[in-house]
Amino acid sequence: MCDAAEEDGGCGADTAPARRRRLPPHSHPRPCMKCKQGSAALIIRLGDAFCRNCFHEYFVHKFRAMLGKNRVIFPGEKVLLALSGGPASSAMLRQVQEGLSRETAKKLRFVPGLIYVDEGAVRGQSTAQREQSLACMETLLQATGFPYHLAHLEEALELPASILQPGPEKSSKPNSSYKEAVEGFIQQQRQEGGGDGGTLLPGLGTQDAPAGSPATPRLPTAARTQELLQLFKAVETTTAREELLQMLRTHLILQTARTRGYTKVMTGESCTRVAIKLLTNLALGRGAFLAVDTGFVDNRHGDVMVVRPMREYMAKEIAFYNHFFNVPTIIAPPLSTKRQEKPSIHHLIERFLLGLQEDFPSTISTVYRTGEKLSPAPAKASSESQRCLLCLCALDIAGEEELALEPTLIMEETEPVGDRCCQDAPAAGAESKAAFIPLLCYGCRLTFKELGPLATLPPYVRAEAQRRILRAQMEQQSQEVPLENEESGKS
């Protein structure tokens, strides 16, 4: 697969020097497949040649069609856009900006907010580099005119234990009432003086921060940063570090959405990223949750729904869009590792798929379409004890029975607290790695085994685990008392 933005004109150009002709910038000798008039500026797939204007319409239509087809974001809802500064999330932000500013009846009508999580501490950036990246990102966020929130990954260590508890599910409106909701919202906006029903933005490029906090976010203290680095240094493999980073980032974004009243979180995973994540999760033992981890809707948290509107865009489409229409991006460095070859399962799968994509251009789309056939509604947990402690998905294995079948999951280090004569105490059982295993799904068990000592885990994870373990012990004791009374009565 070749690149249509090359100076030679891309894959359709004649390579013979005698017949080569000069082309205008970003043009291609093939005509546009849509308007049939202008010269193609790029070729997305074999035979899909677009000029700049038609490509822009195609890109915008795909984004709006994804939201319109699913109909999970209702007019007036607060939606938090999770930005990383990368190509996909930056293109998503531009789509929201253009959708809200349209003067047609097909404009977007939700209330957006932005969040950016600074991960420079674990990505090997110095203090000066982190401050520079934050300043650049804040400049981009201010230019959008939306309220935004800048967070640091160190703040995840201060999260409450309730972040690992699913919130109360809000009654979702049926699809049949979506049209009525739009019409009612437009009518309400007209009555309130909102013109044709456009979205009223809650702010103009201001930081959404608590009262009394500084306008420019300061970096966390050195002690808090060191605590975060110790957590990642204790992790045994780069694969587990990638999973830990994703977990902390997700929990931090979720907490921000809950405290600021957002009911939806919009992320920027592209089709390429979804295909990579699908195969990666299979390798990590998360096959039971592929539909939740890669689907358009992720409703595992109850009160906050995660949506992925960029999941049908190829990375090539996003790169061309950002290049043609000057979408600014900020690329963060990868996690530092001493291994150059095969540093993690994530990177191994990514290199494998992208390598196949070069020789077989339908590789990514085939993997993506295969994932689309998975059931979007996995088994739901009826109680808190049936949810995984870390990912909040329904437990896919039976705790103690699976430990007997999978001896590799049994922890050699139990880390009891106190004297061994007090092993019957609830606190001793709650502070052992083995006690955590029944609380985790199969994939999280494999990751948890490589996270290092319990003392380095985030405090909110340990607190929630202790609460669940103690509650399970109390329930078990309450069930044993009637059995003992029944047996004594028979005797």
Side-chain angles (χ1 to χ4, degrees), residues 405-421:
L405 296 175
E406 295 286 345
T408 58
L409 295 178
I410 300 178
M411 305 301 168
E412 298 178 358
E413 182 184 9
T414 57
E415 298 182 10
V417 175
D419 297 333
R420 293 191 178 272
C421 61

Side-chain angles (χ1 to χ4, degrees), residues 111-429:
V111 181
L114 312 177
I115 181 173
Y116 171 74
V117 180
D118 167 39
E119 303 170 358
V122 298
R123 294 186 181 275
Q125 290 184 319
S126 63
T127 302
Q129 290 174 334
R130 293 182 65 183
E131 291 177 347
Q132 182 180 6
S133 299
L134 277 174
C136 293
M137 195 67 195
E138 188 170 17
T139 302
L140 296 179
L141 298 181
Q142 287 177 346
T144 63
F146 302 146
Y148 63 90
H149 178 71
L150 295 174
H152 304 282
L153 194 63
E154 289 89 337
E155 298 176 22
L157 301 178
E158 303 174 359
L159 291 175
S162 59
I163 198 65
L164 296 176
Q165 304 170 12
E169 294 188 11
K170 299 181 180 179
S171 57
S172 58
K173 303 177 183 178
N175 291 336
S176 58
S177 66
Y178 182 82
K179 185 176 180 180
E180 299 176 0
V182 173
E183 294 176 353
F185 179 79
I186 295 176
Q187 184 177 2
Q188 179 184 359
Q189 291 294 319
R190 287 175 177 174
Q191 293 176 354
E192 296 176 356
D196 61 348
T199 300
L200 300 179
L201 299 182
L204 294 176
T206 58
Q207 184 177 352
D208 186 10
S213 61
T216 302
R218 298 178 180 175
L219 293 179
T221 61
R224 183 61 71 183
T225 301
Q226 189 63 27
E227 182 180 355
L228 179 67
L229 292 178
Q230 290 296 332
L231 168 62
F232 276 82
K233 287 180 181 178
V235 180
E236 299 177 5
T237 63
T238 308
T239 299
R241 292 191 191 97
E242 295 274 4
E243 291 295 301
L244 177 62
L245 175 60
Q246 179 180 341
M247 181 192 73
L248 295 179
R249 182 197 306 125
T250 301
H251 292 166
L252 187 56
I253 294 174
L254 178 62
Q255 178 66 13
T256 304
R258 285 178 174 175
T259 55
R260 284 164 173 76
Y262 292 94
T263 56
K264 302 290 191 303
V265 172
M266 191 177 288
T267 60
E269 289 101 327
S270 64
C271 175
T272 305
R273 185 56 53 190
V274 168
I276 294 172
K277 189 174 184 180
L278 192 145
L279 293 187
T280 301
N281 284 9
L282 276 177
L284 294 177
R286 295 190 56 82
F289 313 121
L290 290 180
V292 179
D293 292 336
T294 63
F296 176 79
V297 173
D298 183 355
N299 204 20
R300 77 183 79 178
H301 306 292
D303 56 341
V304 178
M305 178 186 295
V306 178
V307 295
R308 304 179 178 96
M310 301 294 293
R311 62 192 303 269
E312 288 194 352
Y313 290 96
M314 300 288 291
K316 182 179 180 180
E317 297 174 325
I318 296 174
F320 271 115
Y321 178 82
N322 293 344
H323 174 67
F324 283 159
F325 305 105
N326 301 320
V327 178
T329 58
I330 297 178
I331 305 300
L335 284 177
S336 58
T337 176
K338 296 180 180 179
R339 299 183 59 181
Q340 299 297 331
E341 293 291 333
K342 304 176 183 178
S344 67
I345 294 179
H346 304 77
H347 288 81
L348 181 62
I349 296 294
E350 181 176 358
R351 292 176 183 176
F352 171 71
L353 276 182
L354 295 182
L356 282 179
Q357 180 72 13
E358 293 181 0
D359 298 327
F360 306 96
S362 62
T363 299
I364 297 294
S365 59
T366 301
V367 175
Y368 170 78
R369 297 301 175 189
T370 303
E372 282 284 272
K373 300 178 181 179
L374 299 174
S375 173
K380 294 184 178 180
S382 58
S383 63
E384 176 188 274
S385 60
Q386 297 179 359
R387 287 181 178 268
C388 176
L389 173 68
L390 300 181
C391 68
L392 293 184
C393 289
L395 293 178
D396 53 345
I397 50 180
E400 301 300 333
E401 297 179 0
E402 185 66 20
L403 287 178
L405 296 175
E406 295 286 345
T408 58
L409 295 178
I410 300 178
M411 305 301 168
E412 298 178 358
E413 182 184 9
T414 57
E415 298 182 10
V417 175
D419 297 333
R420 293 191 178 272
C421 61
C422 303
Q423 288 297 315
D424 294 335

Side-chain angles (χ1 to χ4, degrees), residues 28-42:
H28 198 277
R30 297 178 57 176
C32 175
M33 61 170 291
K34 187 174 182 180
C35 67
K36 308 295 184 181
Q37 297 177 356
S39 298
L42 75 159

